[in-house]
């Protein structure tokens, strides 16, 4: 896949916009150290609402979990842009995808692939990253997915 043009144009071509992420009195959404940007864990919020709750493999199906992962990754991109001001200045270094799932689910990497696909569609090679996808017993607000990232500013 060859990506040309601005990352923000590719994002709009997908019918997406970077969301506004609300501040939190207990933590920051990003911390910049040198050219590194550490993104706090982001949940699948859209328009200020958590898209769903539950455990993947029980109340939440695979395709729904993949959509939640895309939204969480979009929120991570929004936090990165808050840090550097421009989507074209963002390179994803590492992504940690947490999936609240049943012990026998085993498809955490498939959920994470949806986030990876979005990042590559928008950022091209700057969206490819080192990645970990793990199943956990629970996440904040009973969210099915949470994503944390480390980025670098270009």
């Amino acid at each position: 896949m060859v990506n040309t043009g601005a990352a923000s144009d590719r994002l709009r071509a997908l019918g997406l916009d970077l969301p506004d992420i609300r501040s939190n009195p207990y933590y920051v959404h990003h911390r910049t150290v040198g050219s590194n940007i550490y993104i706090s864990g982001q949940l699948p919020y859209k328009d200020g609402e958590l898209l769903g709750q539950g455990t993947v493999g029980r109340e939440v199906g695979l395709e729904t979990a993949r959509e939640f992962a895309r939204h969480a990754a979009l929120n991570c991109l929004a936090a990165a842009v808050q840090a550097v001001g421009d989507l074209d200045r963002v390179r994803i270094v590492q992504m940690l995808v947490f999936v609240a799932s049943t012990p026998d689910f085993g498809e955490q990497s498939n959920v994470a692939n949806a986030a990876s696909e979005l990042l590559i569609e928008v950022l091209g090679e700057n969206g490819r990253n080192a990645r970990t996808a793990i199943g956990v017993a629970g996440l904040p607000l009973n969210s099915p997915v949470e994503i944390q990232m480390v980025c670098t500013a270009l």
Side-chain angles (χ1 to χ4, degrees):
M1 171 186 215
V2 176
N3 283 322
T4 59
S8 57
D9 293 338
R10 292 190 296 270
L11 186 68
R12 279 191 295 279
L14 294 170
L16 300 171
D17 290 307
L18 288 179
D20 291 324
I21 50 176
R22 297 180 179 167
S23 62
N24 188 299
Y26 305 106
Y27 65 90
V28 294
H29 288 288
H30 60 83
R31 175 72 66 199
T32 303
V33 179
S35 65
N36 293 324
I37 309 154
Y38 298 88
I39 307 294
S40 294
Q42 298 293 315
L43 302 179
Y45 278 102
K46 182 177 182 182
D47 300 325
E49 299 291 327
L50 188 63
L51 290 177
Q53 294 179 311
T55 303
V56 182
R58 189 176 311 132
E59 301 90 0
V60 178
L62 175 60
E63 288 309 312
T64 301
R66 286 174 50 83
E67 187 61 29
F68 291 166
R70 287 177 64 89
H71 281 284
L74 192 62
N75 291 331
C76 288
L77 287 178
V81 169
Q82 278 186 351
V84 300
D86 184 352
L87 198 52
D88 285 313
R89 295 194 57 221
V90 175
R91 176 181 291 150
I92 312 302
V93 175
Q94 183 181 35
M95 180 169 64
L96 304 172
V97 180
F98 303 94
V99 182
S101 52
T102 59
D104 62 340
F105 177 64
E107 293 285 329
Q108 291 83 2
S109 62
N110 196 344
V111 174
N113 285 347
S116 294
E117 290 163 5
L118 175 70
L119 295 173
I120 293 166
E121 286 177 291
V122 173
L123 300 176
E125 284 301 311
N126 289 335
R128 293 191 191 282
N129 55 79
R131 185 183 88 185
T132 301
I134 60 172
V136 296
L139 290 168
L141 304 176
N142 198 26
S143 175
V145 178
E146 181 174 14
I147 296 180
Q148 176 185 346
M149 283 185 189
V150 177
C151 307
T152 191
L154 300 173

